[in-house]
Amino acid sequence: MTQTRYVRWFNELRLVDVPLVGGKNASLGELYAACAAEGVRVPNGFALVAAAYREALAGAGAEAKLRALLDGLDLTNMAVLSERAAAARKIVYEATGGQELRRQIIDAYGKLQAENGVGCAVAVRSSATAEDLPNASFAGQHESYLNIRGDDGVVEACRRCFASLFTDRAIVYRVNNGFDHFKVALSVGVMRMIRSDLGASGVMFTLDTESGYRDAVFITGVYGLGETIVQGQSDPDEFYVHKPTFKKGYRAVLSRRLGKKQMRMVYADVRTGETTHEFPVSAEDAGRYCVNDAEVLKLAEYAIDVEDHYSKLAGQTRPMDIEWAKDGDDGLLYIVQARPETVVSQRAIDSFTTFGLTGTGPILATGRAVGERIVTGKVRVIANVHELGSFHPGEVLVADTTSPDWEPVMKTAAAIVTNRGGRTCHAAIIARELGIAAVVGAADVTQNLKTGTLVTVSCAEGDVGHVYEGAVAFETHQVPLAGFEHPKTAVMVNLGNPDIAFRSSMLPNDGVGLARMEFIIGEHIGVHPMALAQPEKVTDPAARAAIAKLVAGYAHPADFFIERLAEGVGTIAAAFYPKQVIVRLSDFKTNEYASLLGGGGFEPKEANPMLGFRGASRYAHPAYAAGFALECAALRRVREEMGLVNLCIMVPFCRRVDEGKRVIETMAAHGLKSGDNGLEIYVMCEIPNNVIQIDAFSALFDGFSIGSNDLTQLTLGVDRDSEIVAFDFDEADPGMLEMFRLAITGAKRNGRHVGICGEAPANNPEIAKFLAGLGIDSISVNPGSLLRTMQLLREAEAKG
């Protein structure tokens, strides 16, 4: 009698073999057989076909026993669910112990040993036949086993994988997603283990997992085996690479964030009876990235190649979820799994719902934001899986970390907050899939938050998520995109926070009319530029120590400033690429500069900083020239190394024509010359003299952006921050309307671009109509005002 061939090697499999070996193993076959030929390094292995599972159960008469356990099962009764699931696993485990299946597993493992050495370690992973399809993901539902060695060890791990089709979480998942238990079978993949326990590993996506922005590769990594990322035990390093410029030949990391990488999982000595064990990462190792820039770029190359291959097969862009590993022995990078991303990429973008806080309150915890939502609820601290029965739907689940066994409860939570984890940990993945807010890696929340406390969880403020005390007021706006029409006037975005750039770029827009450099310096660097350009002049011991800690690992303190500023500006430019992004050079006032770390000794004390040493007056002045050189170096990196030539530079608060000439000359000396590689240099039109001498300024600059706030203050002679005279601050004053008219017609007369980057058009429909009637080229407003401004302009244009 002919025996069924239960083994298929990876080079025999393709994506079309999902019915044969499940989605995970079919994808491994596609990677090994096709992508490896394109230069993507993939370790070899084999799969046990789903028929092995089916025939084993049929031979043991197991289906009737399993139906008796599962039919009518009450999923809300956790105790009964756990008992029945354990009984089902025992049935499958016993059924898959046949001699023929064992023989074929041992023979195949023997061939892997011939390739890689006697007793080589393998990873044994489950692959359901409906797994990893574009509309369903069973990721994390079934078991995987690492560092498996020897014939008996491999056979045992395979049987346990088969049995894991009936874990508690897998049963619940199938019921909730409409899968018939008996129409889903399990295949098992056996792959050579990469010695990432001696190197590093992680997960990467070919889109941003929060916003759904598709032009970036998002890479996470930790030391050792990557299980600590998914399990939430380690806060990983994070990197972004911009795909469009990468494909044009630019090789630069767009941005990076150093993770804490608390734990390292490594292979255990098999004689101990364990396959892996964990130990804390040293402070020295945690203080540096687990992979270098060259390795990040190689991973990005692999990710783009894999996405391109799978997209070609699908006939449409197919964002991918990819696991990678760095072998500590050979130093090489490997792809060990790839599957279509099935959460963010499947969202129907037929409308935008935005959340925004309108109130405030004491901050109880901060961490990594997941979900871009805001929710209020009562805290329920859960110490372990045995306490899940006390959780009530609608509460905020607070835990050290989560695991797949928690999922039945997680789906009822208003929000999730964890001590540990990054944006690709289990809690983050499930929160994203369920569409709920999560704050992960918020250290010590299980100690600092108490059950029953009312909190507001906000993930709508950028990369950092906050847990506020009490019910903090917030608002939501839903804007349908069906039939959405852009006005004739370009509507751009004012932005300073790189953390919300990807999300903001998903809104209808015409680019960025104002990217505020000072926000990036203040929030993402925090150090006075001169303190990094001339650190020897910082006299305060506490400031010197704090700066030394920040710049540790950099060859020069100035390198820290250049890298961080380039990443912040570059992220905004990349998010809106290839649309124009206008970045305004730093425009702090002296009192604001002095508040930066190390800044006190570099700034004069002024009675009226609003009219003092600010904007263009600083850039060529000896008191700030060295700091301005760092700003220019960062902008050159964005344009030349990152390839983001959509970046335009704008000079703020330029009082006189001669001052403008000095700034232009200084920028050229630093390698930023108007016209080179398409560079345009604009100037803020915010001082009456800019309007009066618009022809002379037009001879120097390529365009103008009207700063309505300062222009109104200086035209009307009123301080809008003064409680006594603020009522006289009126951007619709006839004098101001004439200023707008003169600025716009003057710029047009000289063939120069002219826009406005104040909120006046968003707040006053009459101003919007007036500007549109004058033919202003662009109006730039905050993201929250973007769609409302477009509507106002469409109405104004319709009325003529």
Side-chain angles (χ1 to χ4, degrees), residues 612-637:
F613 189 43
R614 61 173 288 201
S617 62
R618 300 179 67 94
Y619 304 146
H621 195 286
Y624 190 70
F628 184 63
L630 301 187
E631 292 187 28
C632 291
L635 296 178
R636 280 189 61 190
R637 178 175 293 188

Side-chain angles (χ1 to χ4, degrees), residues 420-459:
R420 297 184 289 164
R423 286 196 293 156
T424 51
C425 73
H426 176 265
I429 292 170
I430 298 304
R432 204 173 290 121
E433 184 172 315
L434 296 173
I436 62 178
V439 177
V440 298
D444 300 324
V445 286
T446 50
Q447 284 75 44
N448 297 336
L449 298 182
K450 304 301 180 185
T451 293
T453 302
L454 185 67
V455 298
T456 298
V457 180
S458 173
C459 297

